Amino acid sequence: MGTRVIDVSDINSKSSYMLDKINQYIHHSYLIKYLEPPTIDEDKLFLLIAMCQDMDLDDTLEAYIISTMLVQIALDIHEEVSVEKKLQSIQQTEQQLKVLAGDYYSGLYYSLLSKVDAVTMIKSIATCIKRINEHKIRVYRQDPSYSDSITESLRIIESELFINMAETYQLTNWKTVISEVLLLKRINREKERYVKTGFSVITGDFSTNHSSMDEVLEQFDRLAQHTQDRIQTILSTSTFTAEVISGVQSIVNRFNRPVHHIVEEG
């Protein structure tokens, strides 16, 4: 195992190849009858491929990338499960199937890594899942006993699996940029959630003196801007290729929208 090498040179080609492979793994004839196909975060896939761009895409690396994305998909699906008690029968069935789907996709990572004898990676991903779930509980309980902010817990939730890949291959220069880019994406999701529902877990970090929507959105924007500034500093001093910098920049640029644009769309 680990000797078959896929001959795709650029990041976009590798990403397309891996996206097809992941779609094959997540296809399940029973689940697709009742549930929408799970969402694959292509930005996260891009970051995985980009950090490994100088490596041969052999069986082991392919298994690592697919397993990481499968676990992310499973975690995302479990997060969609409603805790509301009063659900109609059809809604209850859908929620139960989401739990089943999340468990199924999570279980695939173990099977896939076992085929390439990746015992260490199996253990490290399991540790990541445990830490992510601990911080999810902390976030949704708004637990004040932690020394770090809710924002820092969200950073861990979003980036832990991907930092694990960087640590596995000793790509320490990737850890910070992954952490910041994925935090920026989460800040944007929380901001959109706040516009739509008036609630976001992240507002627990904001000043309680700012209660109007405009004032809260300004705090979202400041948080996002600080994160973007850190990303620009990282990129300007990094040794990343032009292709990587362009790809990261394209992700960041999607979040350069004034507050009123989101409010109007909502």
Side-chain angles (χ1 to χ4, degrees), residues 17 29 51 55 109 128 176 189 209 235:
Y17 169 80
S29 57
M51 80 168 85
M55 304 177 194
Y109 99 86
C128 288
T176 306
R189 291 209 313 275
N209 294 326
L235 294 180

Side-chain angles (χ1 to χ4, degrees), residues 65-97:
I65 292 171
I66 293 173
S67 295
T68 299
M69 291 304 299
L70 287 173
V71 172
Q72 183 62 64
I73 290 166
L75 290 169
D76 290 343
I77 290 174
H78 280 159
E79 196 157 333
E80 293 174 3
V81 176
S82 175
V83 295
E84 187 178 341
K85 294 181 179 179
K86 295 181 180 180
L87 294 173
Q88 296 179 0
S89 177
I90 190 169
Q91 292 174 314
Q92 289 179 341
T93 300
E94 182 179 296
Q95 296 302 306
Q96 290 167 354
L97 283 173

Side-chain angles (χ1 to χ4, degrees), residues 152-199:
E152 288 307 305
S153 282
L154 292 177
R155 183 195 299 275
I156 291 167
I157 290 166
E158 295 299 322
S159 62
E160 186 76 1
L161 282 169
F162 303 89
I163 288 176
N164 179 60
M165 272 288 285
E167 290 176 340
T168 297
Y169 286 104
Q170 299 181 329
L171 301 168
T172 54
N173 59 320
W174 273 93
K175 292 167 65 174
T176 306
V177 70
I178 288 170
S179 171
E180 297 294 351
V181 170
L182 297 185
L183 176 61
L184 180 62
K185 281 169 61 70
R186 181 59 184 257
I187 291 169
N188 186 69
R189 291 209 313 275
E190 291 298 324
K191 178 180 175 180
E192 292 181 343
R193 182 184 182 192
Y194 178 78
V195 169
K196 291 177 181 177
T197 68
F199 172 79

